[in-house]
Amino acid sequence: MSEHLDLADWRRRVAAAYEALRKDTRAEPARLLGFRAAKDRLFASHPSSPVPAAARREFRGLAYWRFAPELAFHAPLEPDPDAPPLDVPRSGAGPAMAYARIGWVSFTVDGTATRLAVYWLNEYAGGIFIPFRDGTSGSESYGGGRYLWDSGKGADLGSRGDELVIDFNYAYHPSCVYDPIWSCPLAPPENWLTIPIRAGERLVPAP
């Protein structure tokens, strides 16, 4: 299979995994653990995995925090129709990516009122994008942030009416964490949280 067909298949498989997740009626954390196991298998075996080919033989799965039920929310989208366009910087080489802030989601973490901007990708076929940094970024998780939603690639937890499913247990690292050949959009300053979010994917702890 060609490199381009491999990448197309990777994106299709990732989108299918999220579609299956949205249909999964099991209670947490069984639902979460099943999703993580499937993702680990995909990362270990697919030719377009962000894990470099030379490292896949020794790959034993991604590092995760334990399930934190208090970090899962259904948050209404608070529209922000007058927000100006935003160029989101990327890791490595490549121009910034053009997004529009379409609104905000608000929730409370450990007694702290918190909100994140919700973006719409103005390129390709569009899609909702929610990146964030937090108090673990740069030490326990990637310094450029993690993602909650990237619906342009099918990676989203779904919505109920005007409420978005915001579940930090499914927060994940961009591909550039595993290999610098990937260029990934980074969380803008308005989505830098000061509180630590110890849920979802983390960096492998130092030995």
Side-chain angles (χ1 to χ4, degrees):
M1 189 179 291
S2 75
E3 177 182 349
H4 295 93
L5 290 178
D6 283 342
L7 185 55
D9 183 69
W10 167 265
R11 291 182 177 175
R12 189 159 48 243
R13 288 175 183 264
V14 169
Y18 276 89
E19 182 178 6
L21 174 65
R22 291 190 295 270
K23 294 178 179 178
D24 191 339
T25 58
R26 288 178 295 174
E28 302 287 12
R31 180 171 172 262
L32 173 67
L33 295 177
F35 178 79
R36 288 178 174 179
K39 184 171 184 177
D40 284 345
R41 289 193 296 270
L42 192 62
F43 269 56
S45 61
H46 198 279
S48 285
S49 168
V51 176
R56 288 175 203 155
R57 181 183 296 272
E58 302 301 323
F59 178 74
R60 295 295 180 266
L62 302 172
Y64 303 99
W65 272 287
R66 295 190 179 196
F67 175 56
E70 71 279 8
L71 292 174
F73 310 94
H74 289 82
L77 178 65
E78 306 160 18
D80 190 1
D82 299 321
L86 175 72
D87 288 335
V88 173
R90 302 171 72 161
S91 65
M97 301 182 71
Y99 286 85
R101 188 176 69 231
I102 61 173
W104 300 84
V105 285
S106 300
F107 43 90
T108 300
V109 176
D110 196 22
T112 301
T114 305
R115 73 174 186 168
L116 289 172
V118 179
Y119 304 104
W120 182 265
L121 177 61
N122 287 333
E123 302 175 4
Y124 310 114
I128 290 175
F129 181 53
I130 308 178
F132 72 99
R133 283 181 51 171
D134 67 281
T136 73
S137 299
S139 55
E140 298 169 272
S141 65
Y142 176 51
R146 292 178 285 164
Y147 300 164
L148 285 168
W149 273 61
D150 189 357
S151 68
K153 295 180 180 176
D156 72 81
L157 298 177
S159 57
R160 299 179 183 178
D162 65 348
E163 291 185 334
L164 302 184
V165 180
I166 304 295
D167 191 337
F168 287 98
N169 292 286
Y170 293 90
Y172 66 97
H173 281 127
S175 297
C176 52
V177 167
Y178 310 101
D179 193 330
I181 67 167
W182 302 100
S183 181
C184 305
L186 306 176
E190 62 189 5
N191 273 16
W192 292 6
L193 308 179
T194 58
I195 54 176
I197 302 290
R198 292 188 173 93
E201 290 181 19
R202 62 179 302 178
L203 296 178
V204 176

